[in-house]
Amino acid sequence: MRFDECHEGDYRIFVGALEAPRGDGYIAALIVNRVQGAAAGRREAFRDDSLACGYRWRSADEALQYALNRARELIRSRSEMLAC
C-alpha cells in the first residue's frame, strides 16, 4: 500500500495504490478535497476507492500515476462529478 498527495489549484489530491484483493497488482484510489473557496473549509469533492472499475496495475507507481492523472483531469475540466 502506497499513498501520495499534492495540490492542484483550490484542491488537495490524495492518491493511493492498494494491493488488489486477489493479488496480482495494485488498484488505484483517489480523494479530491476542495481546500480553498469552500464555504465551510475543506470539503470532499470526489472519492473513488476503485478507479477504472478495479483494474489492476502491475506496479504501485503505475496505479499512483493513473490516479493522479485522473484527479487532475477532473479538476481541470471542472467536471460535474466534483461535488463542490
Side-chain angles (χ1 to χ4, degrees), residues 1 14 43:
M1 196 176 329
F14 299 93
R43 290 184 46 192

Side-chain angles (χ1 to χ4, degrees), residues 22-73:
R22 295 184 181 133
D24 296 333
Y26 295 85
I27 59 172
L30 74 86
I31 299 171
V32 177
N33 286 331
R34 183 161 185 152
V35 293
Q36 295 177 353
R42 184 176 7 185
R43 290 184 46 192
E44 188 171 292
F46 184 82
R47 174 189 292 256
D48 191 335
D49 297 330
S50 186
L51 288 169
C53 298
Y55 178 83
R56 287 182 253 168
W57 280 265
R58 290 183 192 178
S59 72
D61 289 334
E62 290 175 315
L64 288 172
Q65 190 61 47
Y66 177 81
L68 185 57
N69 288 339
R70 180 70 176 127
R72 287 179 171 153
E73 176 186 330

Side-chain angles (χ1 to χ4, degrees), residues 71-84:
R72 287 179 171 153
E73 176 186 330
L74 286 167
I75 293 166
R76 289 180 182 155
S77 69
R78 297 287 188 235
S79 172
E80 61 277 352
M81 295 176 70
L82 293 175
C84 56

Side-chain angles (χ1 to χ4, degrees), residues 4-19:
D4 199 2
E5 63 182 88
C6 67
H7 284 78
E8 183 79 21
D10 292 343
Y11 297 90
R12 187 169 192 177
I13 302 169
F14 299 93
V15 293
L18 313 169
E19 292 179 12

